[in-house]
Amino acid sequence: DYVAVQAAGLECLALFCTASGDLAAEYVGLLCEFCGLIGGPQASRLVAMRGLFDLALVFGVPGLADREYPDPNGPGMLRTPKATVIVATLAAGLYDADAELQTAAVEGFAKLLLHGRIDAEVDDVLLGLFAAYLHPANITAHRLRQCLSFFWQVYAFGSRDNQERIA
């Protein structure tokens, strides 16, 4: 089954990229593409999303964004996506119809926000997390709701800036 092989390959790539910021910069665009494939294989999208969140947790979104890396097809240089593009790609998961993708996005953003690894589009991300927490379709999404119940308490009491951002 090609989807399982594709998902395993993406998982290996993401794990490999955690070893080096240069590798992460080179492949973050590919992971963004797989993550944003609407109608693409759910398993591949989920693995790409989790991989992007892992890389963002290790290097921070600013550390992944707008970096140059060598073009493998020529002598020039290429650029990674901007921070807002990376965050928007991941934030689309907060509104995904697939419960597993939505839960992965919630867990990933909770980690990034609690560790201070994201600084672009924070207000939009918080709004998406709040919408996911209150959406009636997520009443039975126990893992998502448990994650957000814990997140809101820890995030709010983490700093005064967080409290002002939530208010």
Side-chain angles (χ1 to χ4, degrees):
D1 182 39
Y2 86 93
V3 174
V5 173
Q6 184 181 62
L10 286 168
E11 186 172 15
C12 289
L13 177 66
L15 287 171
F16 184 64
C17 287
T18 59
S20 162
D22 292 335
L23 285 172
E26 188 171 342
Y27 292 106
V28 71
L30 179 69
L31 291 171
C32 278
E33 285 183 37
F34 271 98
C35 188
L37 280 177
I38 304 301
Q42 187 263 359
S44 297
R45 291 181 63 210
L46 183 62
V47 168
M49 179 181 288
R50 287 184 176 151
L52 268 175
F53 277 119
D54 288 346
L55 292 177
L57 194 58
V58 171
F59 302 108
V61 173
L64 293 174
D66 206 24
R67 289 185 53 182
E68 286 190 343
Y69 63 94
D71 185 352
N73 299 320
M77 299 294 278
L78 299 174
R79 281 201 155 311
T80 60
K82 296 196 178 300
T84 54
V85 173
I86 295 171
V87 172
T89 300
L90 291 170
L94 294 173
Y95 303 98
D96 202 280
D98 185 272
E100 198 170 0
L101 281 167
Q102 189 178 32
T103 301
V106 163
E107 290 172 348
F109 276 120
K111 290 176 190 176
L112 292 180
L113 287 164
L114 290 176
H115 287 92
R117 304 301 279 169
I118 182 174
D119 59 0
E121 310 293 325
V122 173
D123 292 338
D124 292 339
V125 169
L126 289 172
L127 185 63
L129 291 172
F130 192 67
Y133 187 62
L134 294 178
H135 198 283
N138 293 333
I139 291 290
T140 58
H142 300 293
R143 185 171 170 169
L144 180 144
R145 293 187 57 77
Q146 181 181 12
C147 176
L148 285 173
S149 293
F150 179 77
F151 166 77
W152 288 118
Q153 293 175 35
V154 173
Y155 186 75
F157 292 108
S159 75
R160 182 172 175 88
D161 290 339
N162 292 352
Q163 291 172 4
E164 290 174 2
R165 192 173 280 133
I166 291 172

